[in-house]
Amino acid sequence: MTLPNERVAWFNGEFMPEREVRIPFRDSSWIYGDGCFDMTRSFGHKLFKVKEHVQRLYRSLKYLRIDPGYGPEEMCRLSEELFERNRHLLGPDDDYWLAQRISRGVRPVEGDNLDHHGPNIVLECMPLPFRQRASLYEEGIKVAVPSARRTPPESLSPRIKSHNYLNLIVASQEVHAMDPSAWAILLDINGNLSEGLGSNIFVVKDGVILTPHERYVLPGVSRQTVIDLARSEGLRLEEADIDLYDAYNADEVFITSTSLCLCPASRVNGVEIGPKGQVWGPVTRRLADAYCRLVDFDWVAQYRRHLDPSAPSRPF
């Protein structure tokens, strides 16, 4: 039975209360991180770019050689139905992350008595952390670079959104040990900026926007949205090798992610970015305004309405 205030999830063919979802302990994602996922979000209780996120999910599945048993169209339909089943639980100024999570599943073991082997699939909604992150839109993100390098594409493609986030988690833990409010952005194997946990980085210098080459990062849907907006606004944007010298001397730095959309960075390794006291540079502001127009919703104001000075700013 689903309680009146309880979210539902979709698990292996059935909608059910979240508390009833059970993943076997021999699931390959639990044992090896062998699986992938994707996430979109809503704006004003309306889902954004479900199709694009699901298409990226299926590119990850193809790379991992996992067949979920049905195609992107059905995944989109199920995702939208799940959102509708949970929409009524949203407060007037809240929104959801919506995730599709797929593991390779459980290989049969003699005597396991399981009814289901093969991929385990979970679709779920969870509230976005507005209160915890609201201060980032007033103060800017503090970016810090850990000693751990991003897994190189020669070892494992960073372009898949897999369940194995240990590289990014270990790097983030190192940064949080020094500053719990900082966000980790890793260098790639060549010493250039790459990405962080669920986040892409952009720098602006003399009106030109630069972002790391796609080969070395997960090509975020929000990243691509900003690239498209920049070009529609007549701004020059290039993929490039960006090192710390470029970041320290940038006029502006900003981060994109599904939850944050676009958020200014105020410091990189303690170095203040842009003019003293500047949080929102003109290019960052212009792109954020264009993003709000695209989704027909002011998500910057939404974050600011949740502002609580006592809430720590944490990336996850």
Side-chain angles (χ1 to χ4, degrees):
M1 183 180 75
T2 303
L3 301 176
N5 62 345
E6 185 176 15
R7 291 189 302 271
V8 298
W10 188 93
F11 176 51
N12 288 349
E14 183 180 351
F15 290 99
M16 62 182 65
E18 288 185 345
R19 60 189 160 81
E20 294 183 8
V21 174
R22 297 288 186 268
I23 303 293
F25 60 83
R26 290 197 182 99
D27 181 84
S28 63
S29 184
W30 166 253
I31 297 173
Y32 301 118
D34 180 15
C36 61
F37 73 105
D38 219 296
M39 302 183 78
T40 188
R41 62 157 290 173
S42 61
F43 292 99
H45 303 186
K46 297 178 181 178
L47 283 176
F48 180 64
K49 290 194 173 181
V50 177
K51 181 179 178 181
E52 288 84 348
H53 281 276
V54 168
Q55 287 174 337
R56 184 175 63 175
L57 171 69
Y58 274 77
R59 291 194 293 271
S60 296
L61 288 166
K62 188 170 185 178
Y63 180 89
L64 295 177
R65 305 184 189 190
I66 297 174
D67 180 5
Y70 52 87
E73 296 82 5
E74 179 66 4
M75 184 68 76
C76 287
R77 188 193 69 77
L78 290 168
S79 298
E80 290 163 355
E81 181 175 351
L82 178 73
F83 181 79
E84 291 303 321
R85 286 173 179 249
N86 288 300
R87 184 204 293 265
H88 68 285
L89 296 174
L90 285 170
D93 209 23
D94 293 323
D95 274 299
Y96 282 140
W97 265 316
L98 187 148
Q100 305 97 5
R101 306 183 187 278
I102 304 175
S103 75
R104 198 177 304 278
V106 179
R107 290 190 179 92
V109 175
E110 186 176 351
D112 63 16
N113 296 317
L114 295 178
D115 296 328
H116 174 79
H117 295 93
N120 282 307
I121 305 172
V122 178
L123 278 58
E124 53 121 348
C125 292
M126 57 182 168
L128 284 160
F130 292 114
R131 184 180 64 85
Q132 296 90 332
R133 299 182 178 184
S135 63
L136 300 176
Y137 292 87
E138 297 290 331
E139 303 166 5
I141 291 174
K142 292 185 290 183
V143 170
V145 175
S147 61
R149 298 291 179 97
R150 186 70 178 103
T151 304
E154 291 84 357
S155 299
L156 180 72
S157 175
R159 298 168 71 187
I160 60 168
K161 197 171 179 69
S162 81
H163 283 169
N164 191 335
Y165 261 42
L166 275 179
N167 174 234
L168 295 163
I169 289 171
V170 168
S172 293
Q173 291 297 322
E174 178 185 334
V175 164
H176 295 161
M178 296 180 285
D179 183 348
S181 66
W183 285 54
I185 296 290
L186 286 68
L187 300 179
D188 66 25
I189 201 69
N190 300 311
N192 296 308
L193 291 167
S194 62
E195 62 183 338
L197 198 157
S199 55
N200 294 114
I201 188 168
F202 292 74
V203 305
V204 183
K205 182 65 175 177
D206 297 330
V208 180
I209 307 166
L210 303 175
T211 196
H213 292 286
E214 181 177 316
R215 181 169 181 260
Y216 297 99
V217 300
L218 176 72
V221 173
S222 299
R223 171 185 181 269
Q224 188 59 51
T225 299
V226 167
I227 289 172
D228 294 341
L229 287 171
R231 289 171 177 161
S232 68
E233 290 286 312
L235 298 170
R236 182 177 165 193
L237 185 144
E238 300 174 0
E239 290 189 358
D241 292 330
I242 308 165
D243 61 18
L244 284 171
Y245 177 92
D246 300 315
Y248 295 160
N249 287 284
D251 300 320
E252 304 172 47
V253 174
F254 61 86
I255 300 296
T256 62
S257 77
T258 296
S259 58
L260 293 173
C261 305
L262 184 157
C263 189
S266 55
R267 293 178 179 272
V268 176
N269 284 349
V271 177
E272 193 167 12
I273 303 302
K276 188 172 181 61
Q278 170 184 284
V279 175
W280 287 88
V283 173
T284 305
R285 169 64 68 186
R286 183 174 173 183
L287 288 169
D289 289 345
Y291 208 132
C292 289
R293 291 194 301 271
L294 175 69
V295 300
D296 193 27
F297 187 80
D298 191 342
W299 43 265
V300 177
Q302 181 184 36
Y303 267 105
R304 286 173 168 161
R305 286 192 293 270
H306 288 80
L307 189 61
D308 178 358
S310 67
S313 300
R314 292 294 297 268
F316 68 99

